[in-house]
């Protein structure tokens, strides 16, 4: 049995997040958040995506490129559990894994053809850092990939968790109009570590080229500055 396999990226994704802080915790949590999958030159063959527009959603296999470590731990501490309860790494979606490979389900919005980067896939519901390497793309098949009866373990507790977001008009107008809905969705998903609950603390999220500063008091997030 082979102990190693050389895997190389086929593409990378462009998104509005240059830092990890603020990225939705799972794909689909911010439906308005879009990204563009740009294939590396070797894979910019239109034949490689022939028929892809017949699928509404795609699976992305990607590299947790900012989470590479020499050692691995059999347990992790999910932020949603307050950062103080350990769960088995294979019972989590933590980026800190023996092999730092991630999996995201995204919606295919359209294919942009004929540009300088070849054919580009525009997807939504993304949860990836800008320039994340993509290892593979596979179509999502609803008849086999969807399991409405499935149990979500400890994550079920947070399925409906959202913050109410107060984003003053004079501040949200500093964002491009097409980015505003996604920004609110990302903030509502509560970017903070769960163990931080200081209503006076100011957090800053880099998004779409600006810094969004905010406070959280109870279940309400208030944006205080956009720079």
């Amino acid at each position: 049995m082979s102990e190693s396999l050389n895997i190389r990226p086929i593409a990378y994704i462009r998104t509005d997040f240059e830092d990890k802080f603020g990225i939705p915790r799972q794909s689909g949590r911010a439906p308005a958040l879009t990204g563009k999958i740009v294939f590396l030159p070797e894979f910019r063959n239109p034949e490689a995506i022939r028929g892809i527009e017949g699928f509404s959603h795609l699976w992305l296999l990607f590299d947790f490129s900012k989470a590479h470590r020499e050692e691995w731990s059999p347990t992790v501490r999910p932020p949603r559990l307050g950062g103080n309860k350990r769960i088995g790494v294979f019972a989590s979606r933590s980026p800190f894994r023996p092999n730092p490979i991630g999996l995201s389900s995204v919606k295919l919005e359209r294919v942009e053809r004929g540009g300088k980067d070849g054919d580009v896939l525009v997807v939504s519901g993304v949860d990836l850092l800008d320039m994340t390497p993509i290892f593979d793309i596979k179509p999502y098949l609803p008849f086999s990939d969807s399991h409405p009866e499935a149990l979500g373990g400890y994550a079920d507790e947070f399925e409906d968790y959202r913050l109410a977001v107060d984003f003053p008009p004079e501040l949200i107008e500093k964002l491009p109009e097409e980015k505003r809905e996604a920004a609110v969705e990302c903030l509502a998903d509560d970017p903070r570590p769960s163990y931080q609950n200081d209503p006076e603390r100011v957090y800053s999220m880099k998004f779409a080229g600006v810094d969004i500063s905010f406070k959280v008091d109870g279940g309400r997030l208030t944006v205080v500055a956009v720079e």
Side-chain angles (χ1 to χ4, degrees), residues 14 20 31 46 73 89 103 107 121 127-128 133 144 146-147 156-157 179 200 203 209-212 227:
R14 300 308 312 265
K20 291 185 292 183
S73 171
V89 65
L103 177 69
K107 182 179 179 182
L121 307 182
D127 60 343
L128 301 177
S144 64
S146 177
H147 301 279
D156 276 347
E157 179 183 348
K179 303 291 185 182
E200 296 304 314
Y203 301 86
V210 301
D211 287 331
I212 302 174
E227 301 175 352

Side-chain angles (χ1 to χ4, degrees), residues 50-173:
R50 182 197 291 187
I52 201 168
E53 289 160 298
F55 300 94
S56 65
H57 291 73
L58 304 171
W59 289 111
L60 305 181
L61 289 165
F62 64 90
D63 180 8
F64 281 119
S65 53
K66 300 299 183 182
H68 289 190
R69 293 182 174 182
E70 292 296 324
E71 303 294 331
W72 72 283
S73 171
T75 60
V76 295
R77 295 183 293 181
R80 277 295 190 219
L81 295 180
N84 53 19
K85 182 177 181 180
R86 287 196 170 272
I87 295 292
V89 65
F90 301 128
S92 81
R93 295 197 176 190
S94 168
F96 303 109
R97 323 185 66 79
N99 294 306
I101 297 173
L103 177 69
S104 282
S105 173
V106 297
K107 182 179 179 182
L108 177 62
E109 296 289 344
R110 63 185 182 277
V111 180
E112 294 183 349
R113 300 186 183 276
K116 64 180 179 62
D117 294 321
D119 293 349
V120 171
L121 307 182
V122 180
V123 296
S124 62
V126 299
D127 60 343
L128 301 177
L129 190 69
D130 187 40
M131 296 302 292
T132 291
I134 305 296
F135 289 137
D136 202 4
I137 300 168
K138 301 178 187 292
Y140 177 98
L141 302 178
F143 67 85
S144 64
D145 295 347
S146 177
H147 301 279
E149 77 286 1
L151 299 178
Y154 63 86
D156 276 347
E157 179 183 348
F158 307 101
E159 178 181 359
D160 298 321
Y161 177 78
R162 291 286 193 283
L163 295 176
V165 177
D166 289 334
F167 208 140
E170 67 274 14
L171 296 180
I172 201 169
E173 288 173 0

